[in-house]
């Protein structure tokens, strides 16, 4: 009897288990979740207006750069760490002597009008920049005129350099333009060609229409995903991107509140608190690959002779509480920078002691250099000369505010600094070395080679704007250019960084942060470290506005980030 009861219990338990499994299976197949769906136009506001939607002419205008990023491709592109990866090129190699670069091109690429892309397009683009009448930024033509280009076959290009240049591959990120559209014009005609407002590219979007007020981009049906082997959607969820153009950044906030736009291309630090107060606006901040720097004119003994004293230069940096500058003048939108090489680069010297805020040491250095307040007016002086100078900035409120905040901190240490803001004339003053000190922002990507910024040969006509003339540092930079071994190069760059820290030829302030704002209805927006502001569109294929319901089992076959509610959240 007992055995019979046990068998009945076992059968009953098995039946209950079977029913449970069936019910669970039914529930699993009937439970639905939200997943991304195609469609919807994302509308973003930009401060400024388009001029040349052409990768060879876009360098002066951020609006053009945003459009070009979505429409064109280069041979290479930078990833979220500022390192190069293949784009239109499938791969590339460098000769042992560093003088020859061989690029193998992808064979499956077509222009948005259906014509095939090949080596002739690359050769044509380079030839335009080499033309003596090329109207684009000078640094492009200056670089490419020193390079010979050889078409090996329809999908192979070789670049031959006159001397090793570790940063050469960085220049191959420039967008390639189609020979079949522009092949009958000379470089001087680029500025007036209809192509600048009717571009043909190979990128994920094509320009459907454009005016002074707005531009509409739609997915390029011929686009082939060029994500360096990473899995990405080839076609975006969005049915299009509409850019609307406004006269200033303040107007962008007003436009968002009025419902005219869903995204704000850039939120400058002075508008960050106002943007953060809008509940429906999600803020995304990312580090930019570069730094804000104060150049000191070391070649002007009459204007500010005290800059030639390394003790004074070091005291200027020690007297700055850079974290407070970031917190207050930049509303937290930045990271304290230490040295001329990015802290996330393989070439960075992580063992070198950083120069932190130290008012007592700053005081000791100034006193040691005999800069004292002898007449009690609150300004240090020496041999009848006051310790005062002018700091130039652009007219951007961000830099004006940062410059004034620095001047205020220096004033507490007996230095008199006058902040002078300029508009378009700042670049001319910088190139002419017509300044005592100047606050600017440098964007740096790719290879960390600091030669163009600090070598002796770059004092006249180059980018060594402050005129730092140090033979030992220059030799280290020269030697590094002739080496392909990364460890050997790093040893030389560490030597350079330690000389730089000792000499303090310029004041490196902060790595800037870029803040982007998007309405919470736009999903799966993600940005990481950026080389340029246009890199915010790196993951644009994954953004979506629409959703649809699917059975859970089907959704589980999709990437986790595409299931509603998964993935990182932005700040509000």
């Amino acid at each position: 009897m007992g055995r019979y009861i046990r068998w009945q219990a076992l059968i009953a338990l098995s039946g209950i288990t079977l029913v449970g499994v069936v019910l669970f299976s039914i529930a699993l197949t009937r439970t639905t979740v939200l997943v991304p769906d195609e469609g919807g136009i994302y509308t973003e506001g930009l401060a400024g207006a388009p001029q040349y939607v052409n990768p060879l002419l876009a360098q002066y205008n951020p609006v053009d750069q945003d459009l070009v990023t979505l429409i064109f491709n280069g041979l290479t592109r930078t990833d979220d760490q500022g390192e190069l990866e293949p784009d239109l090129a499938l791969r590339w190699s460098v000769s042992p002597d560093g003088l020859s670069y061989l690029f193998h091109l992808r064979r499956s690429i077509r222009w948005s009008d259906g014509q095939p892309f090949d080596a002739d397009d690359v050769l044509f683009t380079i030839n335009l920049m080499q033309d003596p009448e090329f109207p684009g930024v000078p640094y492009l033509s200056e670089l490419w005129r020193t390079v010979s280009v050889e078409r090996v076959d329809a999908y192979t290009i070789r670049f031959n350099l006159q001397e090793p240049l570790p940063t050469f591959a960085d220049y191959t990120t420039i967008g390639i333009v189609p020979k079949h559209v522009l092949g009958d014009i000379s470089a001087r005609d680029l500025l007036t060609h209809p192509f600048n407002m009717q571009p043909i590219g190979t990128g994920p979007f094509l320009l459907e229409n454009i005016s002074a007020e707005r531009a509409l981009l739609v997915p390029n049906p011929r686009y082939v995903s060029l994500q360096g082997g990473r899995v990405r959607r080839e076609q975006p969820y969005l049915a299009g991107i509409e850019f609307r153009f406004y006269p200033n950044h303040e107007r962008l906030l007003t436009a968002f509140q009025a419902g005219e736009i869903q995204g704000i291309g850039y939120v400058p630090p002075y508008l960050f608190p106002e943007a953060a107060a809008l509940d429906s606006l999600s803020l995304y901040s990312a580090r930019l690959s570069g730094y804000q720097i104060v150049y000191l004119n070391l070649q002007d003994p009459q204007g500010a002779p005290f800059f030639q004293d390394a003790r004074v230069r070091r005291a200027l940096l020690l007297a700055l509480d850079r974290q407070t500058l970031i917190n207050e003048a930049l509303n937290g939108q930045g990271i304290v920078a230490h040295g001329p090489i990015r802290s996330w680069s393989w070439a960075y010297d992580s063992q070198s002691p950083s120069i932190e805020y130290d008012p007592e040491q700053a005081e000791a250095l100034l006193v040691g250099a005999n800069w004292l307040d002898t007449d009690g007016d609150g300004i240090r002086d020496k041999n009848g000369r006051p310790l005062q100078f002018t700091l130039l900035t652009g007219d951007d409120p961000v830099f004006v505010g940062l410059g004034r905040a620095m001047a205020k901190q220096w004033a507490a240490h007996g230095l008199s600094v006058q902040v002078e803001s300029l508009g378009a004339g700042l670049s001319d003053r910088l190139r002419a070395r017509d300044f005592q000190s100047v606050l600017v922002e440098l964007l740096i990507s790719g290879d960390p080679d600091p030669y163009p910024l600090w070598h002796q040969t770059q004092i006249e006509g180059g980018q060594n704007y402050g005129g730092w003339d140090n033979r030992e540092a220059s030799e280290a930079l020269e030697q590094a250019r002739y080496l392909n071994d990364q460890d050997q190069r790093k040893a030389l760059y560490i030597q350079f960084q330690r000389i730089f820290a000792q000499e303090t030829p310029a004041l490196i302030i902060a790595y800037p942060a870029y803040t982007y704002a998007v309405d919470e209805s736009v999903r799966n927006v993600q940005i990481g470290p950026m080389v340029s502001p246009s890199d915010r569109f790196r993951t644009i294929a994954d953004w979506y506005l629409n959703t649809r319901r699917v059975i859970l089992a089907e959704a589980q076959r999709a990437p986790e980030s595409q299931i509603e509610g998964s993935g990182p959240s932005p700040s509000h």
Side-chain angles (χ1 to χ4, degrees), residues 530-571:
M530 306 184 336
V531 174
S532 73
S534 301
D535 288 339
R536 66 186 183 277
F537 298 120
R538 188 178 280 125
T539 62
I540 188 69
D542 297 327
W543 301 9
Y544 62 94
L545 289 165
N546 298 340
T547 59
R548 60 189 172 93
R549 285 198 171 275
V550 299
I551 296 172
L552 178 60
E554 178 184 342
Q556 288 175 335
R557 293 193 292 269
E560 180 183 351
S561 64
Q562 294 181 8
I563 300 175
E564 186 76 2
S566 65
S569 299
S571 61

Side-chain angles (χ1 to χ4, degrees), residues 476 479-480 483 487-497:
Q479 294 172 30
L483 298 172
D487 290 336
Q488 293 178 328
R489 288 183 68 199
K490 181 173 181 177
L492 290 165
Y493 288 148
I494 286 176
Q495 179 184 347
F496 161 76
Q497 288 170 83

Side-chain angles (χ1 to χ4, degrees), residues 409-427:
Q409 289 192 3
W410 280 325
H413 295 275
L415 289 86
S416 175
V417 179
Q418 169 123 20
V419 177
E420 179 183 347
S421 61
L422 297 175
L426 182 64
S427 297

Side-chain angles (χ1 to χ4, degrees), residues 77 83 110 153 191 385 421 438 466 500 524 539:
R77 56 176 283 166
E83 302 297 330
R110 287 188 175 274
D153 59 41
L191 292 176
R385 185 182 191 114
S421 61
V438 58
F500 190 99
N524 208 29
T539 62

